[in-house]
Amino acid sequence: MFAERFDKEIGSKYGIVPGSRENSLYNALWVAQALLRKGSAKTADKRMLLFTNEDDPFGNLKGVIKVDMMRTTLQRAKDAQDLGIAIELLPLSRPDDEFNVSLFYTDLLGLEGDDLAQFKALVGERFEDLKDQLRKRMFKKRRVRRLRFVIFNGLSIELNTYALIRPTNPGTITWLDSMTNLPLKTERSFICADTAAIIQEPVKRFQSYKNENVMFSVDELSEVKRVSTGHLRLLGFKPLSCLKDYHNLKPATFVFPSDEEMIGSTCLFVALHRSMVRLKRFAVTFYGNSSHPQLVALVAQDEITTPSGQVEPPGMHLIYLPYSDDIRHVEELHTDPNSVPHATDDQIKKASALVRRIDLKDFSVCQFANPALQRHYAVLQALALDEDEMPEMKDETLPDEEGMARPGIVKALEEFKLSVYGENYEEDDAKTDGKAEPSRKRKANAIKEYSNYDWSDLADNGKLKDLTVVELKYYLAAHNIPVTGKKEALISRILTHMGK
């Protein structure tokens, strides 16, 4: 399919005829060179990538014809390199035959000595680098917004923010007309509770305060919420040791300077960045956006590079910090220090052995696809193509049952369980013993509270809706009826049980 498209769209344009002597590596280099020369003048890096499993492209030729084809092809490659076009080889080895670079491509690429040995050693890494480059091109870092970072009065710089992590959600549902199959337009109208007339004038809202309703218009509410101008204001610097991992409220935003509107922003940003990296400090700032003003931290990240290029760019991460009102302290379960359970040395040893056994090799979050999202699109595919069965999907989040069944892991798990629970431990018995007593206590309390209400009178007068959810559950628990669900569902169960 790819060969047919090449012959139709490119080969025919440049006179390449399939099956002829002219259909060679020479013509492929010529076409690629012509395309690159016609490219944009702003293109700084021009490369030809040769994907091939033929280590000798002229192996089917003999004598003078082969020598002539090799000479002209090498000259064409040299001409391209003289024009600043780099040629890179990505050999595809066959299962039963290793790709021999020395047959032809060492002369084309100019490899010899240590360069040849290094090329062979880095073939696998070159494919990985190419995949990384393609991934970067496919998922561009799009700017979220532009911010002004106010260091102090009279000194500020311009920053661009980028979302490095953004949750991927299924597409929104569009409602269609059943007759025309056209999208429906949603409109919202407010109806007066007294007259049932549609309200045309702007809607007002109220906030209860000391048994009074304080009215607000939409503009007044917007003004009340406007805490700041939306800039990033510096409050000070603190050591990185003061910043805890659990302080991060949501995925961080990457920050990079811009000189589009404020000249000198990059220079000032670099000076701050270098000093923060050197002193191991982060900047505490206030981001006063109109909808949700937040306390944020700017953490400097140094550049991370490998021999193949840049892995992480230099910049800062904008981390959203909690306010004191947002912090929830852990309840102290054991007030008496003597009642705190302790693990023995043997239990810790057995747990350590189990942890070492169940070790995820080369773990990365990039290995796991969202199973809910994969199932969503699999169902869509089955519906769109009118398939009888849903396509198979691999859920990487499921435990590796085959791996967990290995003798070493099973032995470590059994030894750990034996050290903690002993020989006569049964999981079903533990579940029953742990839940039976609290359940009996709750039911006894429900029966006691149930007798304080005239349930028949409440049902006849429609006053069940005036009771709280907790009060409704007294009736349900006393009669062994499920207590889960919303208030309307609980009332419906009570009326059904009473036969009303």
Side-chain angles (χ1 to χ4, degrees), residues 264-278 316:
S265 295
T266 301
C267 182
L268 203 155
F269 181 88
V270 170
L272 276 176
H273 176 272
R274 292 299 178 193
S275 62
M276 290 166 63
V277 170
R278 188 177 304 154
M316 295 187 189

Side-chain angles (χ1 to χ4, degrees), residues 48-262:
M48 297 182 191
L49 301 180
L50 299 179
F51 294 88
T52 179
N53 59 355
E54 293 288 345
D55 49 13
D56 186 5
F58 309 107
N60 58 340
L61 301 177
K62 295 181 180 179
V64 179
I65 296 178
K66 180 176 181 178
V67 174
D68 180 58
M69 290 294 290
M70 291 179 63
R71 179 183 59 78
T72 54
T73 303
L74 292 174
Q75 183 60 44
R76 174 58 63 186
K78 184 177 182 303
D79 294 342
Q81 292 167 345
D82 291 340
L83 293 173
I85 301 174
I87 301 177
E88 296 185 14
L89 174 66
L90 295 167
L92 306 174
S93 299
R94 297 179 179 180
D96 55 346
D97 189 13
E98 186 178 355
F99 194 96
N100 189 356
V101 185
S102 303
L103 291 178
F104 173 75
Y105 285 101
T106 50
D107 296 332
L108 187 142
L109 301 176
L111 300 175
E112 56 185 15
D114 295 338
D115 293 337
L116 179 59
Q118 187 178 9
F119 175 85
K120 292 181 178 180
L122 297 178
V123 166
E125 293 185 10
R126 294 167 71 86
F127 276 105
E128 292 299 324
D129 293 341
L130 181 62
K131 287 169 58 179
D132 292 340
Q133 294 294 331
L134 288 175
R135 192 178 296 112
K136 290 179 181 179
R137 295 294 180 92
M138 292 169 62
F139 302 100
K140 295 182 179 179
K141 296 182 178 65
R142 296 184 178 179
R143 186 177 68 189
V144 177
R145 62 177 56 88
R146 183 178 298 167
L147 293 177
R148 176 173 293 183
F149 182 23
V150 181
I151 299 175
F152 57 84
N153 292 336
L155 180 61
S156 58
I157 60 177
E158 182 185 353
L159 302 176
N160 287 333
T161 61
Y162 302 86
L164 301 185
I165 297 177
R166 178 172 290 174
T168 302
N169 300 314
T172 56
I173 296 176
T174 301
W175 296 96
L176 304 177
D177 185 271
S178 59
M179 302 297 293
T180 63
N181 208 32
L182 295 176
L184 295 176
K185 182 181 179 181
T186 304
E187 295 183 354
R188 184 174 64 171
S189 300
F190 292 94
I191 300 176
C192 180
D194 298 328
T195 63
I198 298 178
I199 300 175
Q200 302 294 339
E201 59 188 41
V203 181
K204 288 190 175 184
R205 300 184 181 183
F206 69 89
Q207 176 71 43
S208 297
Y209 181 73
K210 292 185 178 180
N211 298 326
E212 292 186 8
N213 295 334
V214 182
M215 306 296 293
F216 292 96
S217 66
V218 177
D219 295 336
E220 288 171 339
L221 278 176
S222 300
E223 191 63 31
V224 169
K225 292 180 180 179
R226 185 170 295 133
V227 178
S228 178
T229 56
H231 300 325
L232 201 64
R233 298 201 313 267
L234 176 66
L235 302 181
F237 297 91
K238 292 293 290 183
L240 285 173
S241 58
C242 298
L243 189 64
K244 306 301 181 183
D245 293 338
Y246 52 82
H247 286 165
N248 199 347
L249 289 178
K250 61 180 182 179
T253 305
F254 189 72
V255 176
F256 205 74
S258 173
D259 288 334
E260 291 183 19
E261 293 187 0
M262 303 182 68

